[in-house]
Amino acid sequence: MVERPGDWGRWLPARRVRLEILDYPGEWLLDLPLLEQSYEEWSAATLAQLRQPPRAALAGDFLSFLAGLDRNAPADDAVAKRGFLLYRDLLAAARDRHGLRWLQPGRFLVPGPKGESPMMWFFPLPGQGSPAAGSLRAALAERFDAYRDDMRRSYFDPWFARFDRQVVLVDALGALCAGEGAFTDARQAVAQIARAYDARSRSRWLGLRTLRRVAFVATKADYVPQAQRGDFLSLFRGMVGTHGHAGGPAMTHAAIAALRCTEEGEPAPGGAPVVQGVPMGETRRRPFRPGQIPPQPPAPDDAFWRRPYFELPVFRPPVIDPDGREGLPHLEMDRLIARLLEDAL
């Protein structure tokens, strides 16, 4: 129960505010832009990406499969499933080997409670104009439309209409340390999601008119020394881009650690600032520094991308007081909650 402010508040009953938290796979958000695309548009954009590095090095088997297909041949479920499996494996390799994140459709990698179904047996196939009735291309386009409609009915419609504020978590630091390909891909993914939120609220679609606040949040802020956190947040803002319009959801940016696993460390004389934490599987605290963090996304030809890439360590979380007296150590979590809920409270 929340008391009403102002002089009139004491004469009015307290408001009831319901706080419900739902955690859903971020991969599913990648399907939000699909709702505005046709199968032909999605295929053309996806195949263009597959021919560019770093995806090109992984796409050989799938592209060879496409080269041997007659898109106007009669529809064949065995061919459709074979193409789906090759394309899904390609998405998984792009995620696991290169840290890529702009991977559609999202349910190919995280199917959810429905699991895999024949509705998902589609893949990008080149072609223009209306496909011949009964052809392979027509069957793939029908499955694409069915998948898109199912995501709208079973996910976006019932879930998004229930909530008026959302948080989108982004591992911006992990993408930056993984190299230009991973960072560029993550940047495209989060910018597309931000544009999709804005477009949906503009069209007043599926109850998104009730979406009042969206926070794009860079995680692992505790991996960044305090002296560099300002640049880290600035980099993240540039990564997401500027979106929003009058009447649309208020979009904010933050860099947080919901559970802080490091502490500020003492740098070596003349050295860069560091944090200290205990890597998982170890017992001793070690210093860590993420290296230079540029305040804006580096250009493709920037010398920044010539530095060695590395995978971030995983630090052991702190021991939590079972009585809760000490609370949870964090970075900026309180400010994020305040920004999201201040108008409701």
Side-chain angles (χ1 to χ4, degrees):
M1 304 297 291
V2 180
E3 297 294 332
R4 297 179 185 271
D7 293 337
W8 290 97
R10 56 181 175 172
W11 303 106
L12 298 173
R15 293 183 300 118
R16 182 181 298 275
V17 176
R18 178 180 179 180
L19 178 62
E20 183 178 354
I21 300 175
L22 173 68
D23 182 19
Y24 54 83
E27 288 85 353
W28 294 3
L29 275 182
L30 297 175
D31 288 346
L32 191 56
L34 290 182
L35 302 184
E36 297 298 320
Q37 286 185 301
S38 67
Y39 174 70
E40 290 75 18
E41 292 169 335
W42 173 74
S43 291
T46 301
L47 291 171
Q49 279 192 323
L50 293 183
R51 294 185 173 95
Q52 301 295 322
R55 286 174 172 81
L58 306 171
D61 289 346
F62 177 71
L63 293 178
S64 296
F65 167 79
L66 289 188
L69 287 181
D70 177 2
R71 69 197 70 172
N72 294 313
D76 185 330
D77 279 352
V79 174
K81 185 174 183 180
R82 172 65 176 160
F84 157 73
L85 292 174
L86 284 170
Y87 180 66
R88 184 193 63 185
D89 291 347
L90 169 58
L91 295 181
R95 177 195 61 192
D96 298 339
R97 292 167 56 181
H98 292 285
L100 303 186
R101 290 295 178 264
W102 182 237
L103 305 170
Q104 295 174 306
R107 254 167 63 188
F108 279 23
L109 294 175
V110 185
K114 292 186 176 182
E116 180 190 316
S117 71
M119 175 187 63
M120 298 165 67
W121 294 354
F122 66 88
F123 51 87
L125 187 67
Q128 295 181 346
S130 298
S135 67
L136 174 65
R137 183 165 160 249
L140 298 181
E142 289 171 4
R143 284 185 171 134
F144 175 88
D145 290 343
Y147 174 90
R148 188 182 56 186
D149 292 343
D150 182 71
M151 284 298 288
R152 178 184 285 116
R153 288 192 307 269
S154 62
Y155 173 51
F156 293 118
D157 276 1
W159 290 12
F160 274 37
R162 291 168 54 197
F163 299 100
D164 60 2
R165 47 209 83 204
Q166 294 199 13
V167 177
V168 181
L169 301 177
V170 183
D171 184 5
L173 184 63
L176 184 71
C177 295
E180 182 179 6
F183 182 81
T184 300
D185 209 67
R187 183 182 183 184
Q188 180 179 8
V190 71
Q192 289 279 7
I193 290 170
R195 279 193 286 269
Y197 272 123
D198 189 54
R200 294 302 170 204
S201 64
R202 193 187 303 271
S203 63
R204 301 176 70 83
W205 168 81
L206 16 114
L208 271 178
R209 61 184 178 275
T210 66
L211 186 58
R212 304 179 65 176
R213 301 193 177 202
V214 178
F216 286 86
V217 176
T219 60
K220 296 186 173 73
D222 56 333
Y223 283 50
V224 180
Q226 183 177 5
Q228 294 179 287
R229 286 181 201 140
D231 285 345
F232 181 46
L233 181 56
S234 177
L235 171 78
F236 182 59
R237 286 196 180 102
M239 185 179 179
V240 178
T242 303
H243 304 277
H245 67 282
M251 294 190 180
T252 61
H253 308 81
I256 75 162
L259 182 62
R260 184 172 183 173
C261 300
T262 70
E263 297 177 355
E264 292 293 314
E266 288 293 332
V274 299
V275 295
Q276 289 188 332
V278 180
M280 293 293 289
E282 300 184 18
T283 57
R284 298 183 61 183
R285 191 176 301 273
R286 294 180 179 270
F288 171 77
R289 62 184 182 89
Q292 176 192 2
I293 295 181
Q296 293 296 326
D301 57 348
D302 196 293
F304 177 87
W305 298 122
R306 294 197 288 271
R307 71 175 192 168
Y309 303 153
F310 62 93
E311 186 175 348
L312 291 176
V314 177
F315 290 115
R316 193 175 67 189
V319 177
I320 304 300
D321 175 13
D323 296 328
R325 290 190 297 259
E326 301 298 327
L328 299 178
H330 65 88
L331 285 175
E332 299 294 325
M333 191 68 176
D334 50 351
R335 293 178 186 271
L336 173 64
I337 294 173
R339 286 201 292 270
L340 285 172
L341 300 179
E342 63 182 350
D343 62 319
L345 302 178

